[in-house]
Amino acid sequence: MKPLVSVLMTGLFLCAPAHAAELSVAVAANFTAPMQKIAEAFEKETGHKLVLSYGSTGKFYAQIKNGAPFEVLFAADDETPARLEQEGQSVAGTRFTYAIGKLVLWSKQPGLVDEQGEVLRTGAFERIALADPKLAPYGAAAMQTLSKLELADALGSKFVQGENIGQAYQFVATQNAPLGFVALSQVFAEGRLTEGSAWMVPETLYEPIRQDAIVLAKGKDNPAAPELMRYLRGDAAKAIIRSYGYGL
């Protein structure tokens, strides 16, 4: 029995990742659900461990500039990673678009939001949630939408702002705001709306939400960083991303 045990143990060691590492990843709040699934699959395949932090892209930028130990950034825009690249805060040549986000006006209440978004013109609600447009690209997209609809001034007194799109979603999910602008990925899974009512905001009303990922300077020597970027380009990760309504 001893030789057999020895062979089995040797096989296990040969199958285990030679350089399993821990990687600190900053993830835009809108990408929380798909990233959790991607992380689970990535860890099973590679043995690397992802330490995930979720928040607003603007806040992550400030933290990275101030020395936060993040090694990879999954932003909610393409401007922030490009800026970090220009400022020497990242590994050159690692930036790419991993998803194209979509904006939705959502309510937890069935029937409150109509499919044309006319509820915005009626103003028959006390509050409307959105992410801070100065910190969160989805908040900026919401303001662009309202400006094009010429409703920004009329609805301004009803705004409830979250620091990031995760907080904006929570305002609506807890019904502290009856409706709000959120990321489609937060209310969409497996090809359908998970609950409530929604208006898919036409992409002509806001600038494309190109979400870029980049390896940061602190992740330069971490073997898990290039592995994660490779995995994101693979079919398994793309299938997860599409299932939450993102474009590619």
Side-chain angles (χ1 to χ4, degrees), residues 204-220:
T204 54
L205 293 179
Y206 58 92
E207 295 177 9
I209 306 175
R210 299 186 183 278
Q211 302 193 195
D212 280 9
I214 196 166
V215 177
L216 300 169
K218 291 184 184 297
K220 180 181 179 181

Side-chain angles (χ1 to χ4, degrees), residues 172-195:
V172 186
T174 57
Q175 300 191 61
N176 284 310
L179 73 169
F181 287 100
V182 301
L184 179 62
S185 59
Q186 294 171 304
V187 297
F188 187 87
E190 305 304 330
R192 63 181 180 83
L193 187 69
T194 54
E195 65 176 327

Side-chain angles (χ1 to χ4, degrees), residues 40 113 139 161:
E40 182 180 359
V113 177
Q161 287 190 8

Side-chain angles (χ1 to χ4, degrees), residues 13-185:
F13 282 118
L14 288 174
C15 292
H19 301 288
E22 189 171 276
L23 185 70
S24 177
V25 186
V27 184
N30 74 88
F31 204 62
T32 298
M35 192 63 201
Q36 288 171 343
K37 283 194 173 183
I38 288 169
E40 182 180 359
F42 174 75
E43 289 172 2
K44 285 182 180 178
E45 180 174 312
T46 67
H48 297 309
K49 172 69 175 177
L50 301 184
V51 180
L52 306 174
S53 299
Y54 302 100
S56 70
T57 295
K59 190 169 183 179
F60 280 139
Y61 173 77
Q63 291 173 341
I64 291 164
K65 291 289 288 182
N66 286 319
F70 298 124
E71 296 168 288
V72 171
L73 170 66
F74 283 78
D77 64 3
D78 56 358
E79 295 177 0
T80 302
R83 190 180 309 129
L84 290 167
E85 192 173 48
Q86 293 167 0
E87 295 169 348
Q89 298 283 338
S90 67
V91 178
T94 61
R95 177 168 59 92
F96 76 101
T97 300
Y98 66 91
I100 299 183
K102 296 179 183 178
L103 186 69
V104 63
L105 180 68
W106 176 68
S107 174
K108 194 171 183 179
Q109 302 173 38
L112 179 62
V113 177
D114 59 285
E115 293 184 357
Q116 289 74 41
E118 287 300 314
V119 64
L120 291 172
R121 297 193 184 279
T122 69
F125 47 87
E126 293 182 3
R127 292 176 295 279
I128 180 169
L130 67 158
D132 186 340
K134 295 179 180 178
L135 293 174
Y138 280 84
M143 287 305 300
Q144 290 165 11
T145 296
L146 292 173
S147 294
K148 283 198 175 182
L149 294 175
E150 299 183 346
L151 293 171
D153 291 338
L155 297 178
S157 62
K158 299 186 178 188
F159 289 169
V160 179
Q161 287 190 8
E163 182 181 274
N164 55 58
I165 199 66
Q167 289 185 359
Y169 168 80
Q170 284 299 322
F171 286 142
V172 186
T174 57
Q175 300 191 61
N176 284 310
L179 73 169
F181 287 100
V182 301
L184 179 62
S185 59

